[in-house]
Amino acid sequence: MTFMENDPQKIATYTYELEPAEGNAQQETPLTLLVKRILETATYHAESWGVGYSSLIKGNQAWVLARLAVEMISYPRVYDKYVIETWIEGYNKHFSARNFCFRSPEGKIYGYARSIWSVIDIQSRASVDITTFRHIANNVSDKDCPIAPQSKIRPVNDENPAVYVVQYGDIDINRHVNSVKYIEHMLDKFPLDLYDKNFVRRFEINYVSEARYGNCLHFYREQLAEKIYAVEIRNESGDAICRGRIEFAERDREKI
Amino acid sequence: MTFMENDPQKIATYTYELEPAEGNAQQETPLTLLVKRILETATYHAESWGVGYSSLIKGNQAWVLARLAVEMISYPRVYDKYVIETWIEGYNKHFSARNFCFRSPEGKIYGYARSIWSVIDIQSRASVDITTFRHIANNVSDKDCPIAPQSKIRPVNDENPAVYVVQYGDIDINRHVNSVKYIEHMLDKFPLDLYDKNFVRRFEINYVSEARYGNCLHFYREQLAEKIYAVEIRNESGDAICRGRIEFAERDREKI
């Protein structure tokens, strides 16, 4: 359930509750659901000042998510209410930086996220100059987002990549694989037991190119350090589709 | 986004909007999202009169979905608002029948659904007598649900079943495969092209037993008639997990 603020404002606030049917095996908000909420609240906020999907599509333009970093202290549990605050940190011709804070209604911080977006012309795939958007200069907030910026994730080595053929349920309204589905498939490359003992403390993804229905995706996985992994998805031609970095942290033992 | 009615009432009404990031390849509400909304609104309504998840779990009890049938004339498209009405049609000791109507705010009918639920004791897995629930007798509505009841789906023959190993993202808060994930995997057994030319007019599922993390699921698929298929999911021991029936109908040619 969501309660939306109606007035356009620099920091938009949306409240959700984790329903039982949405919880994961650890009875927490799945990271994939959190990213869905990130996309959703970004859309709501952009709509509120006239640059959302519904406005841009009329000019054959669309927002494209380029990079995302999510860093969590803990995740909302079943029946926990959680508040998402989102604001624009800055922008230039090619990119807009939008941040997120996840907290309880009482102010307990769950975590933060940073996202980098571009706007493209859907036909030509050319980048659209974001600085020409009306109101954008008035919508930048200096609210603090105390997590490290997105990093550039390097190509990943793996001699035995897992293979997955893109299915009907992976495809979004643009006929590409849904941004969240890449994350779901990446996270599925790790065993349940790892999630029971650890939580995803930081997750990053760089979107490089698009996968389509029927593409045969290869998942390259490499351990970078203790509890830190990189996963690269490539298509059948070896082109990078996206690269993720997953950092696990041990759960408090007393909490289990 | 949801607007909930707060007062308990026989027919509960919840309003949603299809966000761009939620749409499928046909720019419509995915059947899987519709089923999520079915589970969610059933939970909201049960909570409103004190027999929701949060109340039952205190007595180690839980609602279990046994059967579902969804029949659609059309699906809400991106930015369409849709209203879900839900009500209890009847109940006996072992089962409660809950129905759903999907419509636009203006009253255009998208479709209907019928669901059959039981309540179990989580430890003993024994059925709990639903007739002992307070208020249930006052919460039955005689609103019409003009679709055929759920059918019992027979075992499915297939000499070459597809195989899928249950992943982390499939698992729900009870450590079983999420009810919606079975449906997603079933629908993924059909090609995108079929969904471009047709829509799912009627979908039924019977839940028989539970699959767990790491189970190797076999998908048996059989064509029953033109555009009508049955899919049965069995575990590695050959036990039925669930059985689905999918009826496609051709899209209006002028709409494509």
Side-chain angles (χ1 to χ4, degrees):
Chain A
M1 114 186 77
T2 321
F3 301 101
M4 285 186 57
E5 303 284 344
N6 287 315
D7 297 327
Q9 45 199 350
K10 287 187 183 181
I11 304 176
T13 303
Y14 307 92
T15 302
Y16 295 90
E17 182 180 284
L18 185 66
E19 300 307 323
E22 297 176 325
N24 63 13
Q26 292 76 37
Q27 312 226 332
E28 293 169 346
T29 308
L31 178 59
T32 47
L33 179 60
L34 214 56
V35 177
K36 274 183 204 165
R37 299 305 188 204
I38 285 173
L39 301 180
E40 189 172 279
T41 54
T43 305
Y44 291 154
H45 191 212
E47 291 287 351
S48 76
W49 50 282
V51 294
Y53 175 87
S54 66
S55 310
L56 295 196
I57 199 72
K58 288 175 195 156
N60 264 311
Q61 299 176 348
W63 288 99
V64 175
L65 180 60
R67 290 188 191 186
L68 178 68
V70 182
E71 198 168 307
M72 302 300 284
I73 300 162
S74 67
Y75 289 82
R77 299 182 64 80
V78 171
Y79 282 120
D80 282 348
K81 284 195 166 57
Y82 56 102
V83 176
I84 302 184
E85 295 175 338
T86 180
W87 66 98
I88 295 177
E89 183 184 89
Y91 62 94
N92 62 25
K93 276 192 168 197
H94 299 295
F95 294 105
S96 163
R98 173 180 284 285
N99 298 340
F100 301 83
C101 171
F102 312 104
R103 61 168 175 81
S104 74
E106 296 75 31
K108 185 188 100 166
I109 299 294
Y110 288 115
Y112 291 91
R114 291 177 173 277
S115 63
I116 302 287
W117 300 75
S118 62
V119 175
I120 62 159
D121 180 289
I122 291 173
Q123 252 77 61
S124 70
R125 313 296 292 176
S127 177
V128 172
D129 183 352
I130 293 174
T131 61
T132 62
F133 284 12
R134 281 181 65 195
H135 307 304
I136 192 162
N138 304 324
N139 271 287
V140 174
S141 165
D142 59 0
K143 183 179 161 73
D144 189 32
C145 186
I147 64 167
Q150 297 89 344
S151 58
K152 185 159 185 174
I153 307 167
R154 284 185 298 185
V156 173
N157 297 311
D158 187 345
E159 289 184 1
N160 193 18
V163 171
Y164 175 78
V165 176
V166 175
Q167 306 289 312
Y168 159 70
D170 293 315
I171 302 298
D172 70 9
I173 57 169
N174 298 313
R175 313 282 286 190
H176 300 138
V177 172
N178 184 302
S179 318
V180 178
K181 276 287 178 182
Y182 292 121
I183 300 175
E184 181 181 324
H185 293 309
M186 280 185 181
L187 298 177
D188 277 351
K189 296 291 166 282
F190 299 88
L192 182 61
D193 181 61
L194 186 69
Y195 294 98
D196 283 335
K197 292 180 182 141
N198 303 274
F199 66 100
V200 179
R201 199 190 74 80
R202 185 174 165 100
F203 177 83
E204 289 187 55
I205 187 164
N206 298 351
Y207 294 99
V208 182
S209 60
E210 303 283 5
R212 288 180 171 74
Y213 180 74
N215 277 178
C216 180
L217 303 181
H218 292 72
F219 289 73
Y220 292 74
R221 199 182 85 166
E222 188 180 346
Q223 185 159 10
L224 303 176
E226 205 202 334
K227 294 187 190 288
I228 303 179
Y229 299 85
V231 179
E232 179 174 358
I233 304 179
R234 297 185 206 159
N235 65 16
E236 52 273 83
S237 312
D239 307 318
I241 301 294
C242 57
R243 297 189 185 110
R245 185 182 170 283
I246 307 166
E247 187 181 325
F248 292 94
E250 199 169 353
R251 292 175 183 277
D252 293 349
R253 287 179 188 282
E254 61 270 30
K255 265 206 208 157
I256 300 170
Chain B
M1 113 186 79
T2 322
F3 301 101
M4 283 185 57
E5 303 284 345
N6 287 315
D7 297 326
Q9 44 198 349
K10 287 188 183 181
I11 304 175
T13 303
Y14 308 92
T15 302
Y16 295 91
E17 182 180 284
L18 185 66
E19 301 306 323
E22 296 175 326
N24 63 15
Q26 291 77 36
Q27 311 226 334
E28 294 169 346
T29 308
L31 178 59
T32 47
L33 179 60
L34 213 57
V35 177
K36 274 185 204 162
R37 299 306 188 204
I38 285 173
L39 301 180
E40 190 171 277
T41 54
T43 304
Y44 291 155
H45 191 213
E47 291 288 352
S48 76
W49 48 282
V51 294
Y53 175 86
S54 66
S55 311
L56 294 196
I57 199 71
K58 289 175 194 154
N60 265 311
Q61 298 176 348
W63 289 98
V64 176
L65 179 60
R67 290 189 191 186
L68 178 68
V70 182
E71 200 168 306
M72 301 299 285
I73 300 161
S74 68
Y75 290 81
R77 298 183 64 82
V78 171
Y79 282 120
D80 282 348
K81 284 194 167 58
Y82 56 102
V83 176
I84 302 184
E85 295 175 338
T86 179
W87 66 96
I88 295 177
E89 182 184 272
Y91 62 93
N92 62 25
K93 276 193 169 197
H94 299 295
F95 294 105
S96 163
R98 173 179 284 284
N99 297 340
F100 302 82
C101 171
F102 312 103
R103 61 169 174 83
S104 75
E106 296 76 29
K108 185 188 99 168
I109 300 294
Y110 288 115
Y112 292 90
R114 293 178 172 275
S115 64
I116 302 286
W117 300 76
S118 62
V119 175
I120 61 158
D121 180 289
I122 292 173
Q123 252 76 57
S124 70
R125 314 294 294 176
S127 176
V128 172
D129 183 351
I130 294 173
T131 61
T132 63
F133 283 13
R134 281 182 64 195
H135 307 304
I136 192 163
N138 303 325
N139 271 287
V140 174
S141 165
D142 60 0
K143 183 177 161 74
D144 189 32
C145 186
I147 65 167
Q150 297 88 347
S151 58
K152 184 157 186 175
I153 307 166
R154 282 184 299 184
V156 173
N157 297 312
D158 187 345
E159 289 184 2
N160 193 19
V163 170
Y164 175 79
V165 177
V166 175
Q167 306 289 311
Y168 159 70
D170 293 316
I171 303 298
D172 70 7
I173 57 169
N174 299 312
R175 313 281 286 189
H176 301 137
V177 172
N178 185 302
S179 318
V180 178
K181 276 287 178 182
Y182 293 120
I183 300 174
E184 181 180 325
H185 293 308
M186 280 184 182
L187 298 177
D188 276 353
K189 297 290 165 285
F190 298 88
L192 182 60
D193 181 60
L194 186 68
Y195 293 98
D196 283 335
K197 293 181 182 141
N198 304 275
F199 66 100
V200 178
R201 200 191 73 80
R202 184 174 165 101
F203 177 83
E204 289 187 55
I205 187 165
N206 298 350
Y207 294 99
V208 182
S209 60
E210 304 283 4
R212 290 182 170 72
Y213 180 74
N215 278 178
C216 180
L217 303 182
H218 292 72
F219 288 74
Y220 292 74
R221 198 182 87 166
E222 188 180 344
Q223 185 159 9
L224 303 176
E226 204 201 337
K227 295 187 189 288
I228 304 180
Y229 298 85
V231 179
E232 177 173 359
I233 305 180
R234 297 185 205 160
N235 65 17
E236 53 274 83
S237 312
D239 306 318
I241 301 293
C242 57
R243 296 190 187 111
R245 185 182 170 283
I246 307 167
E247 188 181 324
F248 293 94
E250 200 170 352
R251 292 175 184 277
D252 292 350
R253 289 180 186 282
E254 61 270 33
K255 265 205 206 157
I256 299 173

